[in-house]
């Protein structure tokens, strides 16, 4: 009777809370490194580091102001199979992967109480008050 | 002691896996991208199957996926009428190329500067990635949806397979058709092996090998079941095939003899590809999983650890799993 080949472990599966591409992986650090980490501050030009930190804080502030301005605004989630759901926007995480929204209104007129919508479902979402869809992805690269 | 194949199952997709592609060998190993009807192509470490990241952005099923040689770029073809180019290190979307219909296939040139696309609008398109706003060059001729398009002959020519039951060879400079192969039935897959200029084609239960320059047939092999995909080993010792009976088959390329077959998937196999070092092959299935299979069963490689008789009973800090073929991550 043949013995199955032993394995050290099983392949690692996806992280449900992240899209991956670990910024701490050797490949990412070698090929993608576009900024200086604060832990290396002693090895870098302090003026350069200060400029970078200022730029980071401007981006963070912009991202947070954008989220704040969207709070309590009407948004629309476009789900698969052409289902459109209107809701009141609450908040988003930094990766724009998960949203907190409430007062969902489906096309059939059904209404939910305040609840949590995970972003895996929507195909896209847009603010009804905006003339074109918001693009939070441009602001999400913060460290 | 005879060893039994232990496939490594990579879960994560929620719909059928329809296409797979390996990168070349890089200083960080080699990588595998999977196209899936769930719209979320994934990047994995090629020798272990470990998930690295998911490319998020498509709004429909992803029908084709590819990596450039050094795995710094990825490209995907989707039912949302776009082909997308991605940074395969950060996972960021770099370009979205709008098409007029479902895009089925994407292929980089060796220098990664151009992207070839094809799909249901029956046109081949060549995009210059250094000038993405420029209109692509278009090649027309196929009379049905294109399912696969590849660069060949040092990127001087293009091979395309379509639902019109033809495979066509095109000259890139003149954009003209050079040769056509016509079949009685639709070609289910096409793979190009640059070293040796061999084209691997599957249709019905047949795996056929052609000279990619002359389109002359080298040999054909009949499988026990309808085949959806086949792949030739880099050393051209073996080829593997998978199809509608859920099984993977391994054949000797010289003798055409069926050497091994494995059942493991719970649905038809849509795609099978050898790794660039030939040590394993990956299969993608209707069941939503990818599986990695050893070329030489029992060899220590990647996550497979061959336990020799003298190792048994000695202190071994590594934890070993001996598992049945149906294991899942």
């Amino acid at each position: 009777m043949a013995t199955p080949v032993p394995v050290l472990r099983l392949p690692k599966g996806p992280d449900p809370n992240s899209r991956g591409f670990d910024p701490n992986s050797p490949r990412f650090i070698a090929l993608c490194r576009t900024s200086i980490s604060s832990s290396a501050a002693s090895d870098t030009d302090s003026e350069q580091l200060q400029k970078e930190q200022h730029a980071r804080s401007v981006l963070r502030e912009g991202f947070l102001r954008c989220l704040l301005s969207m709070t309590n605004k009407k948004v629309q989630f476009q789900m698969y199979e052409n289902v459109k759901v209107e809701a009141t926007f609450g908040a988003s995480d930094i990766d724009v992967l998960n949203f907190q929204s409430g007062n969902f209104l489906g096309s059939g007129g059904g209404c939910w109480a305040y609840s949590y919508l995970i972003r895996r479902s929507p195909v896209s979402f847009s603010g009804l008050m905006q003339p074109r869809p918001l693009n939070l992805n441009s602001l999400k690269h913060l460290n | 002691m005879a060893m039994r194949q232990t496939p490594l199952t990579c879960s994560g997709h929620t719909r059928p896996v329809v296409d797979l592609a390996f990168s070349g060998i890089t200083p960080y190993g080699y990588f595998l991208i999977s196209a899936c009807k769930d719209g979320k192509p994934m990047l994995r470490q090629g020798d272990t199957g470990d998930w690295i990241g998911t490319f998020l952005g498509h709004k429909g099923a992803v029908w084709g996926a590819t990596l450039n040689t050094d795995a710094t770029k990825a490209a995907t073809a989707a039912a949302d009428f776009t082909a997308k180019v991605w940074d395969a290190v950060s996972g960021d979307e770099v370009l979205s190329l709008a098409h007029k219909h479902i895009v089925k296939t994407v292929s980089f040139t060796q220098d990664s500067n151009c992207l070839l696309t094809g799909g249901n609008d029956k046109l081949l398109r060549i995009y210059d990635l250094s000038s993405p706003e420029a209109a692509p060059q278009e090649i027309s001729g196929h009379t049905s949806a294109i399912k696969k398009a590849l660069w060949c002959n040092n990127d001087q020519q293009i091979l395309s397979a379509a639902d019109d039951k033809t495979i066509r060879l095109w000259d890139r400079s003149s954009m003209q058709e050079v040769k056509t192969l016509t079949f009685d039935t639709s070609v289910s897959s096409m793979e190009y092996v640059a070293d040796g200029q061999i084209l691997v084609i599957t249709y019905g239960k047949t795996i056929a090998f052609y000279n990619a320059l002359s389109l002359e047939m080298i040999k054909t092999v009949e499988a026990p079941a309808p085949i959806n995909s086949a792949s030739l080993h880099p050393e051209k010792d073996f080829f593997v095939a998978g199809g509608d009976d859920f099984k993977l088959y391994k054949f000797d390329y010289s003798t055409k003899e069926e050497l091994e077959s494995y059942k493991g998937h719970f649905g038809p196999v849509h795609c099978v590809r050898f790794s660039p070092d030939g040590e394993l092959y990956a299969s993608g299935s209707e069941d939503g999983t990818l599986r990695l299979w050893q070329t030489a069963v029992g060899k220590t490689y990647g996550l497979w650890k061959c336990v020799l008789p003298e190792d048994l009973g000695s202190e071994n800090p590594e934890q070993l799993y001996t598992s049945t073929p149906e294991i899942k991550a």
Side-chain angles (χ1 to χ4, degrees):
Chain A
M1 175 100 172
T3 309
V5 178
V7 293
L8 294 170
R9 58 169 174 81
L10 303 176
K12 293 174 191 163
D15 176 354
N17 299 314
S18 161
R19 69 183 180 121
F21 299 100
D22 180 11
N24 297 315
S25 72
R27 190 168 92 115
F28 192 108
I29 290 167
L31 300 178
C32 256
R33 197 184 175 112
T34 54
S35 61
I36 308 150
S37 67
S38 55
S39 61
S42 57
D43 297 327
T44 61
D45 178 44
S46 60
E47 194 190 326
Q48 177 75 14
L49 187 61
Q50 210 168 9
K51 280 185 185 169
E52 186 193 294
Q53 292 291 15
H54 175 72
R56 286 180 193 278
S57 67
V58 165
L59 286 173
R60 278 193 200 99
E61 189 177 333
F63 180 65
L64 290 170
R65 285 187 185 281
C66 186
L67 283 189
L68 275 172
S69 71
M70 283 184 65
T71 307
N72 297 323
K73 294 278 197 315
K74 288 258 183 281
V75 291
Q76 184 182 84
F77 291 98
Q78 184 156 347
M79 317 286 276
Y80 285 111
E81 305 199 5
N82 227 18
V83 171
K84 293 183 175 67
V85 177
E86 290 178 11
T88 304
F89 185 83
S92 157
D93 65 359
I94 192 170
D95 284 324
V96 199
L97 276 179
N98 299 300
F99 302 119
Q100 186 198 30
S101 308
N103 302 327
F104 294 103
L105 193 66
S107 52
C111 188
W112 290 261
Y114 207 88
S115 60
Y116 185 58
L117 181 70
I118 296 174
R119 199 248 190 183
R120 284 197 194 90
S121 304
V123 175
S124 68
F125 91 103
S126 60
L128 292 178
M129 304 300 288
Q130 307 285 339
R132 60 178 185 275
L134 287 165
N135 182 7
L136 290 179
N137 284 336
S138 60
L139 297 174
K140 72 179 163 80
H141 297 291
L142 298 175
N143 253 315
Chain B
M1 180 170 62
M3 302 297 289
R4 196 168 79 224
Q5 172 86 262
T6 303
L8 294 172
T9 303
C10 307
S11 60
H13 283 304
T14 55
R15 298 282 315 279
V17 176
V18 291
D19 196 22
L20 294 170
F22 280 100
S23 70
I25 297 171
T26 82
Y28 305 93
Y30 58 88
F31 300 85
L32 172 63
I33 188 170
S34 52
C36 181
K37 288 187 180 180
D38 63 12
K40 298 184 180 120
M42 290 187 181
L43 186 71
R44 294 179 186 269
Q45 194 71 42
D47 62 336
T48 60
D50 289 342
W51 175 81
I52 292 173
T54 302
F55 297 102
L56 297 177
H58 274 301
K59 298 184 175 72
V62 176
W63 287 102
T66 192
L67 292 166
N68 66 350
T69 308
D70 63 4
T72 52
K73 289 187 192 174
T76 50
D80 62 4
F81 293 15
T82 70
K84 289 184 188 287
V85 178
W86 311 81
D87 181 321
V89 182
S90 67
D92 293 338
E93 180 182 317
V94 171
L95 277 178
S96 188
L97 304 166
H99 289 62
K100 297 198 168 59
H101 211 305
I102 294 168
V103 194
K104 283 285 183 73
T105 178
V106 276
S107 181
F108 284 108
T109 48
Q110 287 169 67
D111 60 9
S112 311
N113 284 341
C114 290
L115 185 73
L116 172 67
T117 70
N120 287 15
D121 64 359
K122 309 170 201 169
L123 292 175
L124 294 162
R125 287 192 174 82
I126 301 169
Y127 290 86
D128 178 350
L129 297 180
S130 57
S131 310
E133 307 82 22
Q137 293 177 292
E138 290 181 359
I139 300 176
S140 59
H142 276 296
T143 56
S144 290
I146 294 166
K147 57 196 332 173
K148 190 77 179 180
L150 300 165
W151 294 99
C152 64
N153 191 14
N154 232 20
D155 300 335
Q156 294 174 80
Q157 292 180 313
I158 290 165
L159 280 161
S160 57
D163 286 342
D164 59 13
K165 302 178 189 170
T166 68
I167 287 179
R168 303 184 195 216
L169 180 67
W170 312 82
D171 181 84
R172 191 244 182 103
S173 316
S174 66
M175 313 269 280
Q176 296 300 312
E177 192 176 311
V178 171
K179 264 195 174 75
T180 300
L181 284 173
T182 305
F183 298 86
D184 295 330
T185 181
S186 241
V187 167
S188 48
S189 78
M190 184 171 74
E191 181 194 63
Y192 168 68
V193 181
D195 178 20
Q197 301 279 19
I198 298 174
L199 190 61
V200 184
I201 297 165
T202 59
Y203 53 90
K205 294 183 183 180
T206 305
I207 303 120
F209 300 89
Y210 281 75
N211 179 301
L213 297 180
S214 63
L215 290 193
E216 280 167 9
M217 192 173 75
I218 302 170
K219 65 176 82 174
T220 64
V221 179
E222 294 302 300
I227 295 297
N228 294 325
S229 178
S231 182
L232 181 62
H233 188 275
E235 303 292 314
K236 300 175 204 49
D237 300 331
F238 317 105
F239 62 95
V240 288
D244 287 349
D245 66 353
F246 308 1
K247 284 180 170 179
L248 274 296
Y249 294 93
K250 182 177 157 196
F251 294 83
D252 183 296
Y253 179 63
S254 308
T255 66
K256 306 204 269 185
E257 183 193 347
E258 182 189 317
L259 299 171
E260 298 158 22
S261 67
Y262 301 107
K263 188 174 183 319
H265 279 295
F266 297 101
V269 176
H270 289 306
C271 187
V272 59
R273 291 276 179 266
F274 263 111
S275 62
D277 62 2
E279 295 286 351
L280 59 83
Y281 46 101
S283 57
S285 168
E286 183 77 9
D287 66 12
T289 68
L290 288 82
R291 287 177 192 240
L292 304 182
W293 309 81
Q294 284 193 287
T295 304
V297 178
K299 184 175 177 180
T300 294
Y301 181 85
L303 295 177
W304 292 285
K305 170 78 176 173
C306 183
V307 179
L308 299 171
E310 52 265 30
D311 290 341
L312 295 170
S314 63
E315 207 175 299
N316 190 346
E318 288 168 333
Q319 208 175 0
L320 296 178
Y321 296 90
T322 304
S323 47
T324 61
E326 279 79 50
I327 56 172
K328 287 188 177 186

